[in-house]
Amino acid sequence: TTIAFFPQVIKTWKTRKTEDISLGMFLILCFGTFLWFTYGLLGKDLPLILANGITLVLAFIILIFKIKYK
C-alpha cells in the first residue's frame, strides 16, 4: 500500500490533469500520514517511519500537483 500512490504521481505528472483528484482528501491524507510518521519517529519504529515517510512524499507530490495544476 505504501507505493499505491506512485501510479497516480506518474499519471498526474504526465497529463497535468488534476480535476478528478479531491483536494480535501489529499489534505486529510497528508495530515494523517504526517501524524503516523511523527508517531513512528517518536517511537523509533522503523517500519512506521519508512512506510509513512514514502506515502507522505508520494501523497504530498500529488497534493502539490493538485494545487499547481488547478
Side-chain angles (χ1 to χ4, degrees):
T1 59
T2 299
I3 61 168
F5 292 98
F6 188 70
Q8 187 66 56
V9 169
I10 298 300
K11 183 177 180 180
T12 306
W13 180 42
K14 286 181 179 179
T15 65
R16 306 287 195 250
K17 294 183 181 180
T18 61
E19 60 269 2
D20 292 332
I21 296 174
S22 170
L23 178 61
M25 183 272 220
F26 270 91
L27 285 170
I28 293 168
L29 178 70
C30 285
F31 182 68
T33 305
F34 173 76
L35 291 176
W36 274 110
F37 178 76
T38 303
Y39 180 73
L41 286 175
L42 293 172
K44 297 182 173 97
D45 189 332
L46 189 58
L48 273 179
I49 295 167
L50 291 176
N52 287 291
I54 293 167
T55 302
L56 182 59
V57 167
L58 293 173
F60 191 72
I61 289 170
I62 294 169
L63 180 62
I64 295 300
F65 284 157
K66 175 65 178 174
I67 293 167
K68 184 176 179 180
Y69 302 127
K70 195 169 187 182

